Amino acid sequence: MTDDACGQTLAFAESPVQLLNTLEWAHTSGPGGFTVIILPPHDPTSRGQLRRMAQLARDSGCRVLWREARGGAMTPSRALASLAGPLRRARRLVIGDPFSHYLQLLVSMARNRDVVVVDDGTATMEFTAQLARGERLVRWHRPSARGPRALLFAPVARRAVRRLSPAAGRSVEVFTAMPVVAMEGITVSANTFSWTRSRFGAPRLTGGADLVGTSLVETGVLHEDGYTAAVAELVKEHGITRYFAHRKESGEKLRRLSREAGVEIVRPDLPLELVARRGPIGSKILSFPSTVVHTLPHVLADTAVEVVVCDVAESLFTDRVTERASGFLAAVTSTARATHSLAAPPPAPK
């Protein structure tokens, strides 16, 4: 495969889930050989998962380049400069997180290129809604950007929004498993995880129940004490034995959950969608509102696994949570139940 052939489509991945969904898009769209540039974060769990995902990408025919854009041998400015050539040659960009400042910088450098946005979690739901309103892209759990740094970055952010918006000579596609707001000029393609299902056979079921962890404590959305108590209650009610940790959950919090909720903590070595498909997995999977309540129903569509989405009690939210953030989580839950006919956990016995 020539560098020229690989350079027609250029994908960027900052997380394991972004790379997984890039492979799902390629499986569905058939773009031929293309290049994936991995821009790894600092945390070791994400880096380990990304290295394993990178090998899966190579096995699927991708050219994979690992670029330390956040430090190491190259400063961020030198890393950006090294990507200018590939950006100039590419005809199509595939990105997973339009809210990332680093990716906004890259997109703003890319001129008039076709763009594909693949899922990096539930944030995709906010992306199309904010783009349709012509707003600056701000993550759902953060307040509107203010201060000197935001002011300095504002011209880049505005240019990135223009590059991510449909225009003459430029197509924009959103490849997603999420329910998104339709926007004129943007093609929305369904991610049904067909690559994952074809790559791995049907998983072995344990017959028990598993709980999917969330990093909402780490992002300041939920109180740790309340979250720990809620997990312990779910464990008691449903006989949960395993807790699949989110890659951003702190070790200290996980040790507390193990001690107080009495669950086995599992640190997945790949995105949970692949872990669930590879198995063994519980016959019932419970989760608070998160990406997996929209992705696992696709991944496990041909199995007998029941996916259950749990509500977040108002008492669990921290004082910093805005009405927009709590409303977003409620929407994740309600749309999952409506789209995938997911159940809510039965009320606790009196």
Side-chain angles (χ1 to χ4, degrees), residues 160-239:
V161 168
R162 288 197 298 271
R163 296 283 190 268
L164 292 168
S165 301
R170 177 174 65 243
S171 68
V172 178
E173 176 186 356
V174 176
F175 180 76
T176 180
M178 309 294 154
V180 299
V181 175
M183 180 178 172
E184 185 177 355
I186 289 183
T187 300
V188 177
S189 304
N191 178 7
T192 62
F193 288 88
S194 57
W195 178 83
T196 296
R197 292 198 309 274
S198 65
R199 178 68 173 74
F200 300 92
R204 178 173 67 83
L205 306 187
T206 65
D210 296 325
L211 178 62
V212 179
T214 174
S215 61
L216 291 176
V217 171
E218 284 72 13
T219 53
V221 175
L222 301 182
H223 289 292
E224 183 174 328
D225 289 349
Y227 179 73
T228 302
V231 169
E233 189 64 26
L234 286 172
V235 169
K236 180 181 176 182
E237 292 173 18
H238 300 278

Side-chain angles (χ1 to χ4, degrees), residues 127-151:
F127 165 64
T128 56
Q130 291 182 32
L131 200 65
R133 296 192 294 265
E135 298 173 354
R136 180 175 173 179
L137 301 176
V138 179
R139 297 183 195 278
W140 62 268
H141 57 82
R142 293 181 181 171
S144 298
R146 297 184 179 89
R149 291 181 65 184
L151 189 63

Side-chain angles (χ1 to χ4, degrees), residues 151-162:
L151 189 63
L152 285 171
F153 193 76
V156 174
R158 286 193 294 269
R159 193 157 58 247
V161 168
R162 288 197 298 271

Side-chain angles (χ1 to χ4, degrees), residues 126-349:
E126 277 286 275
F127 165 64
T128 56
Q130 291 182 32
L131 200 65
R133 296 192 294 265
E135 298 173 354
R136 180 175 173 179
L137 301 176
V138 179
R139 297 183 195 278
W140 62 268
H141 57 82
R142 293 181 181 171
S144 298
R146 297 184 179 89
R149 291 181 65 184
L151 189 63
L152 285 171
F153 193 76
V156 174
R158 286 193 294 269
R159 193 157 58 247
V161 168
R162 288 197 298 271
R163 296 283 190 268
L164 292 168
S165 301
R170 177 174 65 243
S171 68
V172 178
E173 176 186 356
V174 176
F175 180 76
T176 180
M178 309 294 154
V180 299
V181 175
M183 180 178 172
E184 185 177 355
I186 289 183
T187 300
V188 177
S189 304
N191 178 7
T192 62
F193 288 88
S194 57
W195 178 83
T196 296
R197 292 198 309 274
S198 65
R199 178 68 173 74
F200 300 92
R204 178 173 67 83
L205 306 187
T206 65
D210 296 325
L211 178 62
V212 179
T214 174
S215 61
L216 291 176
V217 171
E218 284 72 13
T219 53
V221 175
L222 301 182
H223 289 292
E224 183 174 328
D225 289 349
Y227 179 73
T228 302
V231 169
E233 189 64 26
L234 286 172
V235 169
K236 180 181 176 182
E237 292 173 18
H238 300 278
I240 293 166
T241 57
R242 296 189 301 175
Y243 179 100
F244 285 95
H246 188 281
R247 59 190 174 84
K248 293 183 179 179
E249 286 188 89
S250 72
E252 183 179 348
K253 187 188 83 175
L254 292 173
R255 285 188 290 274
R256 181 181 179 186
L257 286 172
S258 176
R259 184 174 62 252
E260 298 184 21
V263 288
E264 176 191 355
I265 304 297
V266 179
R267 282 276 197 184
D269 60 349
L270 288 167
L272 189 62
E273 290 79 7
L274 299 187
V275 171
R277 190 69 200 187
R278 187 178 57 184
I281 195 70
S283 299
K284 179 187 288 186
I285 302 176
L286 295 94
S287 175
F288 291 101
S290 73
T291 305
V292 300
V293 300
H294 283 283
T295 60
L296 289 184
H298 291 299
V299 170
L300 301 169
D302 56 348
T303 74
V305 176
E306 178 186 10
V307 180
V308 177
V309 57
C310 307
D311 294 302
V312 177
E314 289 292 329
S315 60
L316 298 186
F317 289 117
T318 62
D319 294 339
R320 61 172 283 189
V321 173
T322 63
E323 184 177 339
R324 169 183 167 231
S326 59
F328 177 78
L329 288 176
V332 172
T333 300
S334 61
T335 54
R337 287 176 180 157
T339 305
H340 306 292
S341 301
L342 300 191

